[in-house]
Amino acid sequence: MRALATIGVLAALALGASSGARGMTSIASVSHKSSKTHAARTMTQRATSRLLASRAFRTRRARPGRARAKGLLSPLELDIVARMNAMRGARGLRPLRVSRGLTVAAGYHTRQMGQLGFFEHESANGAPFWRRLERFYPAGRRYWSVGENLFFESPETTASSAVHEWMMSPGHRENILGGEFREVGVAAVHYDSAPGTYRSGPVTIVTADFGVRR
């Protein structure tokens, strides 16, 4: 099933993902631009679907979660960041810096998905993903742009697996190699048993949030 909806400056494209896949990925992105006299917001969400159920979007406001500084990233999370930066470096792009705000946002969303049993960019209350990022990663004076990649694999995953699947999907790849992005936050959480989408089985869920503001 495919649906396209446009409401004001918000455009959303959603494509069905295959069920029963062992690993799933998803993407999202949004940009905000403003001047001293006028603030204009453009929000775009795009989704793409693959056989292994990968989806892409760009663009939820959430309560503050537990803050994690760069030095507190897990080995898996650090490896994911390193592998994404290696992909960027090979193409002459500057490496992404780890952002405290984006890391907190990613951690909040990953925990919500695992605890409540869903796999979407939208929050549990239906709010779009960029609202969450805006809360933890406030917009700059002139420009603000964010993107998000999601991935889960059962029972566990590796940085190589997550980044490989993202790079195989045009939308996810675009976020990783986005020349405008300057910062990133990654959260990878393992659950021995997760409800809903994860069918009470073991799973590792990964959220990568990308951003730039100036």
Side-chain angles (χ1 to χ4, degrees):
M1 180 188 75
R2 178 175 297 185
L4 176 65
T6 303
I7 305 175
V9 295
L10 173 62
L13 172 63
L15 294 85
S18 63
S19 60
R22 184 169 181 270
M24 293 186 69
T25 61
S26 182
I27 312 171
S29 156
V30 65
S31 299
H32 291 180
K33 298 180 181 180
S34 64
S35 67
K36 292 182 179 179
T37 58
H38 179 70
R41 293 187 176 186
T42 301
M43 295 163 283
T44 303
Q45 287 189 316
R46 298 179 300 172
T48 60
S49 154
R50 303 177 59 233
L51 208 56
L52 53 87
S54 105
R55 286 179 300 177
F57 295 77
R58 289 189 167 191
T59 194
R60 159 194 164 186
R61 175 170 295 178
R63 299 174 184 174
R66 180 181 300 175
R68 296 192 303 164
K70 177 179 178 180
L72 296 181
L73 291 181
S74 71
L76 174 57
E77 293 160 350
L78 287 171
D79 197 4
I80 290 173
V81 172
R83 287 175 182 272
M84 290 193 296
N85 277 335
M87 295 295 179
R88 291 173 64 88
R91 294 160 178 81
L93 299 170
R94 68 176 65 186
L96 297 168
R97 302 185 303 271
V98 173
S99 160
R100 178 188 179 96
L102 291 174
T103 299
V104 175
Y108 183 92
H109 194 55
T110 299
R111 291 192 298 273
Q112 269 215 327
M113 289 190 290
Q115 293 167 5
L116 301 179
F118 69 99
F119 184 68
E120 300 289 345
H121 290 286
E122 291 78 11
S123 299
N125 66 2
F129 88 89
W130 61 267
R131 288 289 188 187
R132 164 173 41 92
L133 297 189
E134 188 177 45
R135 174 69 178 275
F136 295 113
Y137 187 73
R141 293 184 178 182
R142 295 178 299 163
Y143 185 80
W144 183 80
S145 179
V146 295
E148 180 171 86
N149 285 1
L150 301 179
F151 177 80
F152 82 75
E153 190 168 15
S154 184
E156 297 182 352
T157 193
T158 63
S160 176
S161 178
V163 175
H164 172 76
E165 296 302 337
W166 284 338
M167 290 296 290
M168 292 295 289
S169 164
H172 297 83
R173 179 187 178 96
E174 185 177 346
N175 276 347
I176 293 173
L177 302 181
E180 70 172 357
F181 289 140
R182 296 290 181 266
E183 298 179 287
V184 69
V186 175
V189 181
H190 177 78
Y191 290 89
D192 291 329
S193 177
T197 295
Y198 314 106
R199 302 180 180 182
S200 298
V203 65
T204 300
I205 307 170
V206 183
T207 299
D209 287 328
F210 306 84
V212 60
R213 56 186 174 184
R214 51 181 178 267

